[in-house]
Amino acid sequence: MTTQTLVKNIMNTSMEDIPEAVVEHAKKSIFNWMGVAIGAANHESVDMLLSLKEDLQSSAQVSILGRSEKADLLLAALTNGMSSHIFDFDDTHLDTIHHPSGPVAPVVLALAEWYDLSPSEVIRAFVLGCEVELRISNAVYPSHYDLGWHITGTAGVFGSAVAAGILLKLNEEQFTYALGIAGTQASGLREMFGTMTKPFHPGKSAQNGLMAAMLAKKGFTSSKQVLEAKRGFASVLAPEYNLDRVNENWGSQWELLKNAFKPYACGIVLHPSIDACIELGKYGKSKDVQEIQVTVNPYVLELTGKQEPKTGLEGKFSIYHSATVGFLYGAAGEDQYKDDVVNDPEVLAFRSKVKPTVKEGMREDAAVAKLIFRDGTEKTVAIDHATGSLEKPMTREQLIDKFTVLTQSVIGKDNVEKVIEKVDNLESLASIKELVELCTPQNVAVK
Amino acid sequence: MTTQTLVKNIMNTSMEDIPEAVVEHAKKSIFNWMGVAIGAANHESVDMLLSLKEDLQSSAQVSILGRSEKADLLLAALTNGMSSHIFDFDDTHLDTIHHPSGPVAPVVLALAEWYDLSPSEVIRAFVLGCEVELRISNAVYPSHYDLGWHITGTAGVFGSAVAAGILLKLNEEQFTYALGIAGTQASGLREMFGTMTKPFHPGKSAQNGLMAAMLAKKGFTSSKQVLEAKRGFASVLAPEYNLDRVNENWGSQWELLKNAFKPYACGIVLHPSIDACIELGKYGKSKDVQEIQVTVNPYVLELTGKQEPKTGLEGKFSIYHSATVGFLYGAAGEDQYKDDVVNDPEVLAFRSKVKPTVKEGMREDAAVAKLIFRDGTEKTVAIDHATGSLEKPMTREQLIDKFTVLTQSVIGKDNVEKVIEKVDNLESLASIKELVELCTPQNVAVK
């Protein structure tokens, strides 16, 4: 009954049933998502996807964030979904390591632009899409993730199907079939981490879920119990699961509220150390530093112990590099993980001063950093909860800064300011197109 | 090393390395596949897929078998892959219940038509695509299938990527990445059996594998060890597996030679009973029959014990109906599983005379049928190996009959004869287009 109940829950949830705090968090999520997608829009892997347009002689229906090209609905969903995950800088549901916007937002955006849908339906579709994928992730995490599934790719396809299903106004049977057609396409292996195929996963979820809803709308039939059947999603893809998690507390508890935003363009385990080193950077110059001792949870060195990274990507797996840029630049955005920064002589010299030690029992979102000056004086900073954790979420200003740094070279400063205003007033926009057009470079003056 | 070795094996296998018997079996497989695809081309689910053309404003690049529309490469691969599995009448690798042509042939056909490729490359791509998917199926069967994966959908995506990779002339690194991009999309749940989503699986494998190879050609990166990695295909999707099966006896043993063709449009377990009843039908009229006792393997009643089917699809899961049409019509093709046949009064009356009994130890491809006439006389027929088994493969004439019955109302009798001739001489065609054009109805005179 899990699938049937879920469909009823979805269909019975109107915009009025969604609390204001959830709507606000949805808008933040969409804003953060657009920023990371626009920021990565000129990555070579995006060029590759978009060159499929020529191979397939496909149409130019809707916008690609940060690009002047348009693509058809399915290719746009794939491309925007992928670009938003390229920097590993998108949102995270910390309970399940699921990145909810990636599979859902591109579908919402594509359909809303093409069919000129009302912004309030857009918000409803986004909220319910995220809610469903996160609840399904709750049901199968951690055994599903531990087995090797990239949960954003697998559970994500349900989210994109739900978002599309709402915008395409599926009836109950069609909705049920859409979940079936989507769920049978659930895929994405963690083995792909570290390659272009990782960000491909949320893109493909977006594309597959959208197609599932489009086909269901036409009468395409499928299973009515994809989640709970003996050979359905949970049983086949998760050694252990609890399907009660899918529907319990529906409407009273919102998983989307647990969606967190990253201030730094690297794994979350590094964030408290970076917080601490940014703070320490205010107390002295690099030439005066003897060493920085960073005390962290044991996971940190296991996952990010690379002492001599050679590329930006490797830098993301180095506490040495991350602490260094925190101190030297007061930031750890995508710019601080570029190859030339990783290989900068000053950065290299400072990296050898970073001395991490692990401490059993230290929480994952905590760290202590002690700066020892050449003259023997010391300064210690303790971080209890890293920026971006649920206890210390990014502020509005931090989110705007992140968005601005990521996007202004792509869409121009004027557009950045206008996007901020449009997202603030998302519900009242006459058309979603007003927003989407600002996210592409066609109106940008010479950079 | 499994993936790397596999790629080397693929790339080192030229047309000269493929034995003549394998080429002949490939041609039979392609011919049988085209027949079932053309036969189902006007199914409503195909209409639904093709209506995506309008939603996406997509292009008309290559042919859809049995249809006058064309579609872009990816939609054509999806559609032809799906239509060929709609009747459950396509080829089967009996060791793994994998239907090899479905994921591979549509990709080969689409690329060959669009880029006007040489028929010998087409055959090589088809053979190696099938060989790879079947060897991967061998490695994970039966645990993978038992868990609930539709193996044609999952392992199939490797086959389509390999076929596309050959035709797109990928280099070694690109080929390796193509397998990674494909393998991470492996999907398809057995829960979907009995719905339109089942035949969707080979279609989606075809589409996903083709896109994987297209992206790899552009430099898209992926894992280099998708098959054997800790969080790769085998480990994540199969409780037990033996990856030695992927590369062992490469070039000396050919899995494609174990590909079997179905004479009857229902599950293989029913085939020996149908063989026996067709034979019995030569010995008497239905009005003289008291009963027919059919002795079968226990699986048969478990899988196909439906006594009173109401629809054609249910008829396929009924030994009562299947034995009846064998006796009455001397056939069990798609026509004998139409709703009106299932509900025909004469068929209904005869069905109650069919008395199956199970016998432990009876082989799955064997059956004994005893006809008892009203006058008390008897006639017994024992089938040791059903038609379509490896021991008793369909003859050339039977394959041609099957193809003709399936296709002549769609593409016309003239085209049917020409297709037979073109497939016989596949290697020597000037262009694959000569063949493909005959498989569409545009040149058909009024039917």
Side-chain angles (χ1 to χ4, degrees), chain A residues 8-25:
Chain A
K8 283 186 204 301
N9 279 335
I10 295 165
M11 297 190 73
N12 290 335
T13 306
S14 68
M15 192 62 188
E16 289 70 47
D17 300 318
I18 302 174
E20 182 56 28
V22 176
V23 171
E24 283 307 308
H25 210 73

Side-chain angles (χ1 to χ4, degrees), chain B residues 146-161:
Chain B
D146 291 345
L147 178 59
W149 290 109
H150 186 191
I151 198 164
T152 303
T154 51
V157 75
F158 294 103
S160 57

Side-chain angles (χ1 to χ4, degrees), chain B residues 1 11 21 40 46 57 75 87 116 121 126 132 143 185 193 227 240 285 327 356 364 367 371 394:
Chain B
M1 291 295 294
M11 297 190 73
V46 179
Q57 305 187 327
L75 183 56
F87 290 159
D116 204 9
E121 271 301 271
F126 178 82
V132 168
S143 77
Q185 299 182 72
F193 285 13
L227 291 170
E240 291 168 35
K285 296 195 157 62
F327 186 90
E364 281 183 50
L371 169 56
M394 285 178 76

Side-chain angles (χ1 to χ4, degrees), chain B residues 193-369:
Chain B
F193 285 13
T195 78
M196 291 179 187
T197 306
K198 186 194 183 200
F200 180 77
H201 293 161
K204 206 69 201 330
S205 296
Q207 187 180 48
N208 288 342
L210 173 54
M211 189 198 266
M214 291 171 81
L215 288 176
K217 174 89 179 174
K218 298 172 193 294
F220 206 90
T221 64
S222 192
S223 162
K224 292 192 173 184
Q225 46 183 8
V226 61
L227 291 170
E228 70 274 26
K230 183 182 170 198
R231 288 170 178 138
F233 173 79
S235 155
V236 175
L237 280 84
E240 291 168 35
Y241 54 88
N242 175 6
L243 287 171
D244 292 345
R245 300 292 307 274
V246 174
N247 289 300
E248 70 187 6
N249 301 317
W250 181 276
S252 62
Q253 190 173 309
W254 294 84
E255 289 304 310
L256 186 57
L257 290 176
K258 299 191 203 151
N259 192 28
F261 311 110
K262 280 181 173 181
Y264 312 125
C266 57
I268 281 176
V269 290
L270 285 171
H271 291 203
S273 304
I274 296 169
D275 269 354
C277 291
I278 288 176
E279 186 63 21
L280 287 177
K282 298 173 185 168
Y283 295 94
K285 296 195 157 62
S286 64
K287 68 177 173 52
D288 303 323
V289 174
Q290 180 68 31
E291 71 176 47
I292 292 186
Q293 298 169 353
V294 195
T295 308
V296 292
N297 169 290
Y299 256 137
V300 178
L301 270 190
E302 194 182 317
L303 296 174
T304 63
K306 199 168 271 287
Q307 293 200 37
E308 292 177 2
K310 306 287 183 210
T311 65
L313 189 58
E314 288 182 355
K316 294 188 178 197
F317 295 90
S318 170
I319 184 172
Y320 304 93
H321 180 73
S322 300
T324 296
V325 295
F327 186 90
L328 294 180
Y329 294 79
E334 196 54 33
D335 285 349
Q336 283 73 46
Y337 291 103
K338 291 201 164 142
D339 291 354
D340 58 348
V341 173
V342 168
N343 294 300
D344 178 271
E346 192 192 351
V347 169
L348 242 79
F350 197 90
R351 273 208 300 254
S352 64
K353 301 179 182 178
V354 176
K355 309 288 183 194
T357 51
V358 304
K359 184 176 167 188
E360 290 293 338
M362 175 77 85
R363 279 209 332 283
E364 281 183 50
D365 68 336
V368 177

